[in-house]
Amino acid sequence: MSVVSLLGVKVLNNPAAFNASYQFEITFECLEPLQKDLEWKLTYVGSATSSEHDQELDSLLVGPIPVGVNKFIFEADSPDLKRIPTSEILGVTVILLTCSYDGREFVRVGYYVNNEYDSEELNAEPPAKPLIERVRRNVLAEKPRVTRFAIKWDTEDSAPAEFPPEQPEADNVEDDGATYGAEEEEELEEELKAEDEGQAIGEDEEMAGADDTAGPSIPAPSKGEGEEDEVSDAASEDLEAESSGSDEEEIEEEEGEGDGDEDMEMADDGDQPAESAAGKDKHLNQQSNGEVMVH
């Protein structure tokens, strides 16, 4: 907690000539008695590219500081032109108002300053050598940039922590190097497992749906099969007629006019068609049985 708080800064002479002094009305509050004085400084930034051209315009010690709200006027001289590069005199620059206690800065206020000629003709065509008496400065007092720092005041209790606070209980905690990332791995495994189970369930549902919609597939008999049935029936009739005719011929031949070779040929001819018919019937039965077994 800061013992001194800056409440406000007011730029009194603004805008003003470049070589005019700076005047600030500063208001601050002191919360407890201080053993030393406050040091206020005003710094002019002479160049935006190098800090070598920065110059301290003035410094002021304020004290002893009574407890409560305090107000004073800080006046500083204009910058030394010899310490400012010629190309940096015109244009935008910065001034810094700072306050320190016992050599430790605790507040900084920065202002932009615009330096330009007092006529449009000179601004449009500036001379090679700046005319300082015609240059006007304008401090952008409405947009200050305030930075505060925590410092040590008169007591050690007011000193800010330079190191992290001690945590003796942290030394008793087990090293989590072995278990680092274990929870993430378990979560990843669970997610992968859940995805696999969901995929398997989806496949089962698809297979079940296929069984429900497919139904038994019984192929319709083709035209060739129907024709084959008709042919087999006709062949059976022919075989029966031939077999009856062959029996009569055998009886006649046995009685007188027969030849054994012819009987053998006829017998062979009769047996071969019979065997062919039996094979066709067996084949057809197998086909019909196969058709029934198809689901």
Side-chain angles (χ1 to χ4, degrees):
M1 181 178 179
S2 179
V3 176
V4 177
S5 299
L6 181 63
L7 300 181
V9 178
K10 183 178 180 181
V11 182
L12 296 180
N13 56 338
N14 188 55
F18 181 84
N19 52 8
S21 62
Y22 289 88
Q23 296 180 6
F24 300 92
E25 182 182 270
I26 301 173
T27 305
F28 66 93
E29 182 181 10
C30 185
L31 302 179
E32 61 184 46
L34 295 176
Q35 299 176 3
K36 299 180 181 180
D37 298 339
L38 297 177
E39 183 180 12
W40 297 84
K41 292 182 180 180
L42 183 64
T43 304
Y44 184 89
V45 179
S47 175
T49 59
S50 176
S51 61
E52 296 180 354
H53 304 285
D54 295 353
Q55 52 182 303
E56 183 179 314
L57 301 182
D58 205 346
S59 63
L60 176 66
L61 291 175
V62 178
I65 306 298
V67 176
V69 178
N70 300 271
K71 183 186 294 185
F72 72 100
I73 295 177
F74 180 29
E75 185 174 353
D77 296 333
S78 60
D80 185 3
L81 293 175
K82 297 178 181 179
R83 301 178 58 182
I84 302 175
T86 304
S87 60
E88 300 284 352
I89 294 177
L90 298 176
V92 179
T93 186
V94 175
I95 57 174
L96 299 174
L97 177 65
T98 63
C99 187
S100 303
Y101 181 77
D102 197 14
R104 295 182 290 273
E105 181 181 344
F106 65 90
V107 66
R108 177 186 302 176
V109 183
Y111 294 96
Y112 287 107
V113 180
N114 185 27
N115 299 317
E116 61 182 0
Y117 287 108
D118 56 1
S119 66
E120 296 181 358
E121 292 78 7
L122 292 175
N123 289 325
E125 296 180 1
K129 184 178 180 180
L131 302 176
I132 301 301
E133 64 275 7
R134 300 292 302 273
V135 177
R136 303 278 292 178
R137 70 161 188 254
N138 183 15
V139 179
L140 302 180
E142 296 79 9
K143 297 180 180 180
R145 177 167 295 182
V146 182
T147 307
R148 294 178 172 86
F149 307 95
I151 65 169
K152 174 186 174 182
W153 297 89
D154 290 333
T155 61
E156 293 294 336
D157 296 338
S158 63
E162 297 181 359
F163 302 98
E166 295 182 359
Q167 298 178 355
E169 65 278 1
D171 297 335
N172 300 327
V173 180
E174 295 181 359
D175 186 12
D176 60 348
T179 60
Y180 180 77
E183 296 181 357
E184 290 78 359
E185 292 180 0
E186 292 179 359
E187 292 179 359
L188 181 59
E189 291 178 358
E190 292 178 357
E191 291 179 359
L192 294 176
K193 185 177 180 181
E195 292 179 0
D196 295 339
E197 292 178 354
Q199 184 176 3
I201 293 173
E203 292 178 356
D204 294 341
E205 292 178 353
E206 292 178 0
M207 294 298 294
D211 293 338
D212 295 338
T213 57
S217 62
I218 300 175
S222 61
K223 183 177 181 181
E225 291 179 354
E227 292 178 353
E228 186 177 357
D229 293 339
E230 295 177 357
V231 172
S232 61
D233 294 339
S236 300
E237 294 177 355
D238 295 340
L239 288 173
E240 291 178 355
E242 290 178 358
S243 61
S244 59
S246 61
D247 292 340
E248 294 177 355
E249 290 177 356
E250 288 178 355
I251 294 171
E252 292 177 355
E253 289 175 356
E254 287 178 355
E255 292 178 352
E257 296 179 359
D259 191 3
D261 295 335
E262 292 179 0
D263 293 341
M264 292 295 295
E265 291 177 0
M266 292 298 294
D268 292 340
D269 294 338
D271 293 339
Q272 185 174 0
E275 292 178 358
S276 176
K280 290 182 179 180
D281 293 338
K282 184 177 180 180
H283 180 67
L284 290 175
N285 290 331
Q286 289 179 352
Q287 285 185 346
S288 62
N289 293 333
E291 293 175 357
V292 173
M293 291 299 294
V294 175
H295 293 284

